[in-house]
Amino acid sequence: MRLAARPLLTQSVTTAVLFATGDTMAQQLIEQKGFNNHELARTGRMALYGGCVFGPAATMWFGFLQKRIRIPGSPNLEIVARVAADQCVFASTNLFVFLSSMAVMEGTDPKKKLDSTYWEALRKNWMVWPVVQFTNFKFVPLEHRVLVVNVISLGWNCYLSFLNSQPSGPHIENPTYPPDV
């Protein structure tokens, strides 16, 4: 199996494909652009970020959590500690890197993008991912955790792609994105 032989490469390629799929879902299902108006460069940026940044980082991060956050005799407390570390360190950092790197690749101002989207997106992240990660850390073997995150991320990446595509800056009437759902 490729995952066992080359976990970093396998997770990275899988993540690139799923990030691109999330963007395609955003453009076609949410924004209803139609295939003639599909922004291939946007899909490419999402795939690039997923494969070169998120896939490798998440693979290494889950290994780090597994090895370094240990509370012998308290498996549920250990999982809660891993979820807390994941959400306070990895999720907040990844969201910052995602929004700023997308802005750079688009040729826009990362500070404006972060100012208009970061805190609300992080709040929405905390509404979804702690439960997902608790379940992931409790029931899923280490080598499959990135895959579980990637599958759930189809919806999340669709949301992030939509969020990132929204205009930002002081000229926008309601600059707070993402909108509450």
Side-chain angles (χ1 to χ4, degrees):
M1 174 175 221
R2 296 263 183 232
L3 182 57
R6 307 215 39 203
L8 194 58
L9 178 62
T10 304
Q11 299 285 22
S12 296
V13 170
T14 303
T15 303
V17 168
L18 290 171
F19 265 64
T21 303
D23 175 71
T24 300
M25 289 169 55
Q27 289 192 55
Q28 299 308 318
L29 301 177
I30 307 299
E31 300 166 43
Q32 299 182 343
K33 288 185 173 232
F35 291 108
N36 290 338
N37 295 319
H38 188 91
E39 296 175 45
L40 289 175
R42 176 176 147 185
T43 302
R45 287 188 298 269
M46 289 291 288
L48 181 66
Y49 181 85
C52 295
V53 179
F54 186 82
T59 300
M60 302 302 288
W61 176 248
F62 288 143
F64 171 84
L65 289 176
Q66 185 76 19
K67 290 176 189 159
R68 300 291 182 194
I69 298 186
R70 312 285 296 168
I71 305 174
S74 299
N76 287 333
L77 185 57
E78 182 175 280
I79 292 168
V80 168
R82 288 178 182 163
V83 170
D86 183 64
Q87 292 303 298
C88 293
V89 177
F90 188 78
S92 59
T93 302
N94 178 61
L95 188 57
F96 177 90
V97 172
F98 171 79
L99 293 169
S100 27
S101 65
M102 286 295 143
V104 168
M105 287 190 278
E106 293 162 357
T108 61
D109 184 355
K111 182 173 179 355
K112 285 182 183 173
K113 181 62 74 178
L114 290 166
D115 287 347
S116 67
T117 58
Y118 179 78
W119 290 109
E120 189 65 17
L122 187 60
R123 185 177 71 81
K124 291 204 183 315
N125 172 89
W126 288 338
M127 293 167 64
V128 173
W129 287 103
V131 171
V132 171
Q133 291 295 58
F134 185 90
T135 304
N136 198 17
F137 294 147
K138 178 133 179 115
F139 299 110
V140 179
L142 176 61
E143 64 271 13
H144 298 297
R145 288 181 187 159
V146 174
L147 180 60
V148 168
V149 166
N150 282 338
V151 170
I152 302 297
S153 284
L154 279 172
W156 181 250
N157 292 339
C158 177
Y159 165 73
L160 282 180
S161 181
F162 173 75
L163 163 72
N164 188 64
S165 72
Q166 300 305 299
S168 61
H171 63 283
I172 303 302
E173 193 171 308
N174 178 10
T176 303
Y177 288 98
D180 287 323
V181 286

